[in-house]
Amino acid sequence: MAHHDTLVYSQPDRNLAMELVRATEAAAIRAVPFIGRGDKNAADKAAVDAMRKFLGTVNFDGVIVIGEGEKDKAPMLYNGEHVGNGRGPSCDIAVDPIDGTSLTAAGRQNAISMIAVSDRGSMLDASTVFYMDKIVCGAEGIGVVDIRKPIGENIRALAKAKGKDVHDIVVAVLDRPRHAQLIEDIRAAGAGTRLLLDGDVAGGINAARYETRLDLCVGIGGSPEGVATACAIKAMGGLIQGVLAPKDDAERQRGIDAGLKMDYVYSNDELVKGENTFFVATGVTDGQLVDGVRRKGPIIRTESIVLRSRSGTVRRVIADHLAEKWLGDIDDVEA
């Protein structure tokens, strides 16, 4: 029997996703009092504390590969920290208690709380190089889109593959000064842009989903977010490619010393190895991916998305939580 138990727990299984969603729900709910209050650090701390508390009860031995930073700078959910109750499968974890802390602080859309999980040793540890140039789209882009090609060429090729007019293609890009030329090139190709203020994980996932207006998500964002997005894209059968974008020679060398490849296109399977990934996200504020936390009388309602690559499923989880159980922390949430 003991041998059988070992087999059962050797890899993360389907029940793990439903355990993890409790942690993202908790982080999202705890962040709510800080929506629109201008203090992104307070929002992040509240979400981190809640997520960590719930992760401690989950049946797994998780190692945070992508967390809130190094141990001395991030007291909790730091890179290398073990979470879970230590029983069950060994996993790599990427956490972002709030992807879009500045969105939350400003009261803007598209802030989410997220966790990505895969088998131990399968996530690329790109922590030494903070930025990554990415391209993300749905299955139609496989073998068609290539990050090494000019963006106009990719837009035309994707439009053809999707049977759409170029003018109907919509490309998500983080609204940053570094992307001024990229945005110009997208528009020059005839496509439209959707400029993201923050949170390119949701942008990448939306580009791979069937029911959104987004066709492509491109540009330089965080490397950790690229690896987390790859976990989600695996469950959706889409495409993600990433090229590390060190900001200077010193960071480039640190990356090389850590075994990372520069000027190299990382495929989905290199960002996250294997076919056993989970991605769980709960909306903090409303967005295209999920609705934000809602207060409805005595109830707090959350919406989450749960993706699992092994089964290729995308589940939506609507949960109603009794507000009194959260000790009145979010009295000023509007319905």
Side-chain angles (χ1 to χ4, degrees), residues 248-285:
D248 53 35
D249 289 342
E251 189 180 49
R252 183 185 179 89
Q253 193 54 53
R254 277 198 301 278
I256 291 167
D257 292 345
L260 296 171
K261 301 175 191 171
M262 302 297 149
D263 310 309
Y264 174 81
V265 178
Y266 280 95
S267 69
N268 199 340
D269 287 330
E270 291 168 301
L271 292 168
V272 186
K273 297 188 195 84
E275 281 307 318
N276 199 31
T277 66
F278 294 85
F279 180 90
V280 178
T282 302
V284 178
T285 58

Side-chain angles (χ1 to χ4, degrees), residues 11-306:
Q11 290 183 314
D13 70 1
R14 65 175 65 85
N15 297 326
L16 185 60
M18 300 316 287
E19 293 258 334
L20 295 171
V21 81
R22 290 164 54 240
T24 56
E25 286 170 351
I29 289 170
R30 288 296 190 208
V32 165
F34 302 96
I35 293 173
R37 300 305 167 93
D39 188 347
K40 67 179 191 177
N41 291 336
D44 199 43
K45 183 182 186 314
V48 168
D49 290 350
M51 182 177 278
R52 190 169 188 275
K53 186 178 167 191
F54 273 79
L55 281 177
T57 69
V58 177
N59 270 320
F60 73 152
D61 174 20
V63 172
I64 294 177
V65 176
I66 295 162
E68 292 285 286
E70 298 310 312
K71 185 174 180 179
D72 55 343
K73 297 198 177 99
M76 298 199 273
L77 296 177
Y78 57 83
N79 300 349
E81 182 176 357
H82 279 255
V83 292
N85 62 16
R87 297 191 294 275
S90 299
C91 310
D92 279 355
I93 310 181
V95 298
D96 200 340
I98 307 180
D99 181 38
T101 47
S102 57
L103 298 178
T104 305
R108 295 186 195 275
Q109 292 200 328
N110 290 315
I112 59 171
S113 175
M114 55 136 284
I115 300 174
V117 174
S118 62
D119 296 334
R120 174 68 50 82
S122 59
M123 277 187 199
L124 179 72
D125 180 358
S127 54
T128 45
V129 179
F130 189 75
Y131 286 113
M132 180 186 282
D133 194 6
K134 289 168 270 192
I135 192 162
V136 191
C137 62
E140 303 92 343
I142 295 170
V144 171
V145 165
D146 190 322
I147 197 168
R148 289 163 290 206
K149 292 179 185 167
I151 188 65
E153 207 174 307
N154 279 325
I155 287 167
R156 287 186 290 275
L158 185 61
K160 189 178 173 190
K162 292 183 93 166
K164 292 173 82 163
D165 191 290
V166 166
H167 291 280
D168 291 330
I169 295 287
V170 180
V171 185
V173 193
L174 278 173
D175 191 4
R176 300 288 186 271
R178 63 177 177 265
H179 290 147
Q181 186 61 53
L182 178 60
I183 291 164
E184 212 174 287
D185 292 347
I186 291 165
R187 291 171 179 167
T193 53
R194 179 160 293 144
L195 301 184
L196 307 174
L197 290 155
D198 211 338
D200 66 340
V201 174
I205 295 170
N206 279 326
R209 287 169 66 217
Y210 286 106
E211 66 268 68
T212 67
R213 280 283 292 115
L214 285 186
D215 299 283
L216 204 55
C217 185
V218 297
I220 294 172
S223 299
E225 287 82 358
V227 176
T229 304
C231 286
I233 298 304
K234 283 215 159 183
M236 303 168 76
L239 171 135
I240 179 169
Q241 293 176 335
V243 177
L244 292 167
K247 61 181 182 292
D248 53 35
D249 289 342
E251 189 180 49
R252 183 185 179 89
Q253 193 54 53
R254 277 198 301 278
I256 291 167
D257 292 345
L260 296 171
K261 301 175 191 171
M262 302 297 149
D263 310 309
Y264 174 81
V265 178
Y266 280 95
S267 69
N268 199 340
D269 287 330
E270 291 168 301
L271 292 168
V272 186
K273 297 188 195 84
E275 281 307 318
N276 199 31
T277 66
F278 294 85
F279 180 90
V280 178
T282 302
V284 178
T285 58
D286 283 347
Q288 259 200 315
L289 188 62
V290 276
D291 284 341
V293 179
R294 294 265 199 291
R295 179 72 182 264
K296 294 179 179 290
I299 296 297
I300 299 161
R301 179 166 294 171
T302 55
E303 185 184 8
S304 306
I305 190 168
V306 177

